[in-house]
Each structure stands twice: as structure tokens, then as C-alpha cells.
Amino acid sequence: MLLKRQKIIRSLRHWQQVRSWARLIREAESLWHVEEKEIKRLGALELSQLLEEVPPSYRRRVNLWLIKYSVATRLGGN
């Protein structure tokens, strides 16, 4: 029973982390639609940094969340 509970907790934690990466990417991408040039630049910098930081093991699932969020960005190297 304890092993099953730990597996569920680990799975939930993984799901939350993947969703968080996707939400951060969505927020950074949304800055592209702001009129202010400096904010667009900051959004592009933030997005490029996030794309480098997402662990390779999370990329496939992050891409699935990005599709659900209707975000244009996709991660390579699945």
C-alpha cells in the first residue's frame, strides 16, 4: 500500500512540474502580443531560457500541455 501511494505521489509531482513548465512557456509567449517593444524582447529572452531549462524527460509531456494551451512554441529533442 505504501509503495502504491509513493508511486501516485511521484506521478502527481511529475504531472505538476510538467504543467508548470508549460504554463511558464505560455506566459512568456503571451508577452509577444504586447505592443511595448521592450516587453516583447524580455518575453523572447525568457522563452529562450525556459526552452533550455526544461528537462529532456519532460519535453514530450510539456509539448502536450502546450498543444492544450494553444501555444505556438514546441520543444525539440523528444
Side-chain angles (χ1 to χ4, degrees):
M1 184 69 167
L2 183 60
L3 187 61
K4 186 175 181 178
R5 182 171 183 233
Q6 288 173 337
K7 186 176 179 181
I8 291 170
I9 290 170
R10 192 172 38 241
S11 179
L12 179 60
R13 188 175 302 124
H14 181 79
W15 178 84
Q16 289 171 327
Q17 290 171 337
V18 166
R19 185 184 63 166
S20 294
W21 281 112
R23 292 177 79 183
L24 287 169
I25 291 168
R26 179 184 65 177
E27 290 172 13
E29 189 178 291
S30 71
L31 294 175
W32 295 350
H33 303 291
V34 177
E35 294 295 322
E36 185 65 38
K37 187 176 182 177
E38 186 63 20
I39 292 177
K40 283 183 180 184
R41 188 182 72 76
L42 289 173
L45 287 172
E46 180 70 19
L47 183 59
S48 65
Q49 185 174 351
L50 284 168
L51 295 177
E52 290 180 21
E53 292 178 3
V54 175
S57 60
Y58 287 10
R59 291 179 182 209
R60 186 180 71 76
R61 287 189 173 184
V62 170
N63 277 335
L64 293 174
W65 276 102
L66 294 174
I67 291 167
K68 289 179 184 179
Y69 287 147
S70 300
V71 175
T73 302
R74 296 292 181 271
L75 301 171
N78 293 334

